[in-house]
Amino acid sequence: MTTSSAHPVSADGVWTRLRLAPNAAPSAPLALDAEAAIVVQGGLVQWVGAAAALPAEHAGLPRHDGSDALVTPGLIDCHTHLVYGGQRANEFAMRLAGATYEEVAQAGGGIVSSVRATREASEDELFASASARLENLLAEGVCAIEIKSGYGLSLAHERKQLRVARRLGQAHGVLVRTTFLGAHALPPEYAGRSSDYTDLVCQEMMPALAAEGLIDAVDVFCERIAFTLEETERVFKAAQALGLPVKLHAEQLSDMGGSALAARYGALSCDHIEHLSQAGIAAMRASGTVAVLLPGAYYTLRDTHLPPIEALRAAGVPMAVSTDHNPGTSPALSLLLMANMACTLFRLTVPEALAGITVHAARALGLQDTHGVIAAGLPANFVLWNVREAAELAYWFGGRPARVVVRQGLVR
């Protein structure tokens, strides 16, 4: 049996004695317990299907014995704020002890505390802390991840966050999609000057960071406590002018109509969406925008307003699931736990939850042509699991069921 290693080795060869999870390889549908095989050459999947139908030209390749493991595509965490300074456990304790939001803020807490800690941290310090967090996700089978900025809130410090995100991808051998979230909150020096700060984001920060190749997409926190619809559209127009796709923190606390605005700009995703309206759902369906569900934040904030799952399901809007890892409202380091929460809190079915952390998460990052499924011609990203059935991936929590992770064509 091939096992993971501290020193990655090539996954090239024929992977045998596998059981494909439902919908893992749409081009090669098999009965659940049918023996499957995957051929990897040059880091790419060359063939996948029933072991009995393995093409003769692959028969002489090296063999990897899967020992009857269940196989899924590599997992994708499509919404994280993984790079930041400090942590906010003290605020968590204060809120549990009865402190109000205002009292936490007066004590120096809230997003301002993360901004301060991120600005004070060096690039190497941010890299070290984010690496430790990333390793938890990778050990669980994550093969692609989005990392947002948004705790720097100035050109120099947003650049620092995005540089660390790029460096994480290189150091850990994982595909990282970087998202510029300069419009996350107002920095202290721009208090009361939201429009001026939006100008800074659009006219200085975004063009400079895009020119440096640090931005894959642009996000905004559109909410009553953050940025208005008008300010959000200004950011979207600036992104559009630079040829950058957009996404949106939308309808988390109220129905601002941000999802419909984002859909007009062809947004990759709208995320949180607890207060999403029927009009927003219709707009997202028409534009192909993915709904990203973030049960970790819902749980941490003890929210009670459920996202409109049944209406999204009825409309056929794809639903992704992500950790939303961040120090304030979702300090989650397990994507499988989020799949469990999506089922238990949001009432997703197991197939919906698993699609949410694979194929739909890939679409939320614009990676649908390369990730989210196991198919010939795609990079070899798949996971062998110590479980009998796919439902166990959303059933257990607190364990590490990944037996072998193949990421970017290497056994990790």
Side-chain angles (χ1 to χ4, degrees):
M1 173 64 208
T2 303
T3 57
S4 58
S5 168
H7 303 287
V9 297
S10 172
D12 282 9
V14 182
W15 291 76
T16 60
R17 290 215 295 157
L18 304 174
R19 291 176 298 111
L20 290 174
N23 302 312
S27 63
L30 298 176
L32 178 61
D33 287 321
E35 183 180 344
I38 300 172
V39 177
V40 179
Q41 287 183 299
L44 301 178
V45 174
Q46 294 295 336
W47 183 89
V48 58
L54 179 71
E57 63 265 31
H58 302 312
L61 294 175
R63 296 288 175 125
H64 304 271
D65 184 358
S67 300
D68 201 35
L70 184 79
V71 181
T72 70
L75 307 187
I76 300 168
D77 199 352
C78 64
H79 180 132
T80 84
H81 307 251
L82 201 68
V83 177
Y84 54 84
Q87 44 79 18
R88 283 155 60 186
N90 62 318
E91 294 176 31
F92 176 70
M94 288 175 66
R95 288 197 301 270
L96 291 176
T100 65
Y101 181 87
E102 290 76 16
E103 288 169 339
V104 170
Q106 288 168 3
I111 191 173
V112 173
S113 67
S114 291
V115 172
R116 182 171 58 250
T118 301
R119 288 180 172 185
E120 290 173 354
S122 70
E123 188 170 315
D124 285 345
E125 288 169 335
L126 291 175
F127 175 80
S129 62
S131 286
R133 294 187 282 267
L134 179 58
E135 285 169 1
N136 284 277
L137 296 167
L138 298 181
E140 206 174 60
V142 168
C143 290
I145 187 168
E146 186 237 32
I147 300 177
K148 303 178 189 291
S149 65
Y151 289 120
L153 306 185
S154 71
L155 176 56
H157 296 296
E158 291 286 297
R159 176 188 287 121
K160 181 171 63 174
Q161 280 192 277
L162 293 168
R163 281 172 53 86
V164 169
R166 286 278 192 249
R167 185 176 161 191
L168 288 168
Q170 295 165 358
H172 292 271
V174 60
L175 179 63
V176 171
R177 290 304 240 192
T178 55
T179 297
F180 171 58
L181 183 56
H184 190 196
L186 283 182
E189 61 270 22
Y190 276 86
R193 296 192 292 138
S194 183
S195 184
D196 290 344
Y197 179 67
T198 303
D199 286 341
L200 179 72
V201 167
C202 296
Q203 297 170 16
E204 180 180 339
M205 295 165 67
M206 193 190 310
L209 297 171
E212 294 170 28
L214 292 175
I215 304 177
D216 293 321
V218 173
D219 196 354
V220 179
F221 184 21
C222 180
E223 192 53 75
R224 288 174 300 184
I225 63 171
F227 292 85
T228 66
L229 282 173
E230 184 273 334
E231 291 164 342
T232 298
E233 185 161 23
R234 283 158 59 188
V235 175
F236 283 179
K237 286 181 176 178
Q240 187 178 63
L242 293 169
L244 296 169
V246 300
K247 44 183 37 206
L248 191 66
H249 281 63
E251 272 73 87
Q252 180 183 10
L253 307 174
S254 62
D255 181 13
M256 290 274 291
S259 54
L261 171 64
R264 289 203 300 274
Y265 283 83
L268 293 171
S269 69
C270 289
D271 304 33
H272 287 288
I273 50 90
E274 281 86 349
H275 294 262
L276 181 64
S277 67
Q278 193 61 49
I281 292 172
M284 290 172 65
R285 177 184 181 181
S287 63
T289 298
V290 176
V292 177
L293 307 175
L294 304 173
Y298 179 93
Y299 169 82
T300 303
L301 293 171
R302 294 187 285 186
D303 201 349
T304 58
H305 196 291
L306 288 165
I309 300 299
E310 186 54 49
L312 288 164
R313 184 183 286 140
V317 174
M319 294 180 284
V321 176
S322 186
T323 62
D324 186 22
H325 178 85
N326 74 81
T329 61
S330 188
L333 289 170
S334 170
L335 189 55
L336 291 181
L337 177 58
M338 297 304 102
N340 173 277
M341 286 185 173
C343 294
T344 56
L345 299 179
F346 293 167
R347 306 298 190 267
L348 261 61
T349 65
V350 167
E352 286 173 335
L354 297 184
I357 57 177
T358 55
V359 62
H360 295 329
R363 183 169 294 279
L365 296 182
L367 296 175
Q368 61 270 21
D369 293 335
T370 57
H371 288 69
V373 296
I374 303 170
L378 302 190
N381 293 293
F382 54 88
V383 186
L384 279 61
W385 301 96
N386 285 321
V387 300
R388 281 302 306 169
E389 56 184 293
E392 292 185 68
L393 298 177
Y395 165 73
W396 300 107
F397 51 91
R400 283 285 175 84
R403 182 190 305 174
V404 176
V405 178
V406 174
R407 189 172 68 247
Q408 295 187 336
L410 297 176
V411 180
R412 304 288 180 171

